[in-house]
Amino acid sequence: MKKVHNFTAGPCALPQQAIDNAIEALKDFKGTGIPVISISHRTKEWESVMDECRSLWKELLNIPDTHEVVFLGGGASLGFLYVAMNFLENKAAYLETGVWAKKALKEAKGLGNAYAIASSADTVYNYIPKGFEIPSDLDYLHVTTNNTIYGTELHEDLDSPVPLIADMSSDIMSRPVDVSKYAMIYGGAQKNVGPAGVAFFIVKKDLLGKVSRYIPTMLNLQTHIDGGSMFNTPPVFSIFVMNETLKWLKEQGGIEAIQKVNKAKAELLYGEIDRNSMFRGTAAVEDRSLMNVCFVMAEGKETLQDEFMAFAKSKGMTGIKGHRSVGGFRASIYNACPMESVQALVDCMKEFEQLHK
Ligand SMILES: *Cc1c(COP(=O)(O)O)cnc(C)c1O
């Protein structure tokens, strides 16, 4: 197979071990003689995967007993609706740090009173607004901890006087999180914990059941907590691969260990962006994401953009095209993106600079 360095934003690089084990399970799931995509989800072999996956989530993220984790289809985008359906009664505030945050807010507005408490839309979301007052009468405050498109990240768990809900699609399991500070953490698996097709919801159980609206059965998080994520047929294969990805993460030493690697990868790449005369970063330095590194050609070098893209491609880099709203480049360096790939990109940037000396 061709050697590539995969920097796509999601779906994205997954641990090779998880992929190899998935291939094996497609042939024979746990010695049953049945492919994992053909096994009933009501078998003990499947239930053991489900149990293992749930336990790994709890262990790796240190999830307290007050919270439960459920796995559902529909992605983070359906999660936007789950949030509003299950938690919005009177009023909710959203920190508008990008398009995903805006989409989350839209779903809440459709169901009730919700507004942006602060926004960085004025500068194409290149920073995280700070210093805003959080009113104490909100049902919840919603944040997007990592803004995949713009490469900004909320580096700590906010202190909030009201229930805090976070879309952590693109930085979940990349750093330790104090789960006890959140009413809910949710996201799509396909950025850092698995393939597309499954989303995770870590829910503070005693906060459910407080809204007066009728919640359709499938949109009611209680349904899925009670059903152990198997009220209806779960996305079996996606959960299988997610479980394998978490097993790999545990073998790497867990979240604290992977955070060290993530920091080293990000430092290497941002260091080169700042040093290299051909490029400049787009996100405010203090808010730079450790997962999505956004950069553009430096002033006066804009016409070289296509040339660098082609050059990088010839060196095996893939998925570095920036989102159309930001332009330039974006390297997504999630947990499973190896240091070797980041080094290869950095070498490529250095070489490109030399070529244009
Ligand atoms: C990718 C992404 C989403 C959307 O996820 P889907 O699973 O495709 O719905 C939402 N929020 C963030 C922060 C994302 O990165």
Side-chain angles (χ1 to χ4, degrees), residues 15-30:
Q16 193 54 46
Q17 171 186 324
I19 291 168
D20 292 342
N21 291 345
I23 292 169
E24 278 312 306
L26 279 172
K27 295 181 194 156
D28 179 5
F29 174 60
K30 287 184 182 274

Side-chain angles (χ1 to χ4, degrees), residues 9-10 74-78 80 100-101 144-149 167-170 187-191 198-199 334:
S77 298
L78 190 58
F80 301 157
W100 295 122
T144 313
T145 50
N146 187 69
N147 299 283
T148 323
I149 295 175
D167 172 359
M168 291 198 187
S169 290
S170 52
Q190 71 274 18
K191 313 278 165 58
V198 63
Y334 301 118

Side-chain angles (χ1 to χ4, degrees), residues 147-164:
N147 299 283
T148 323
I149 295 175
Y150 315 92
T152 63
E153 188 171 7
L154 199 56
H155 293 290
E156 25 258 336
D157 306 310
L158 285 186
D159 287 313
S160 168
V162 300
L164 184 60

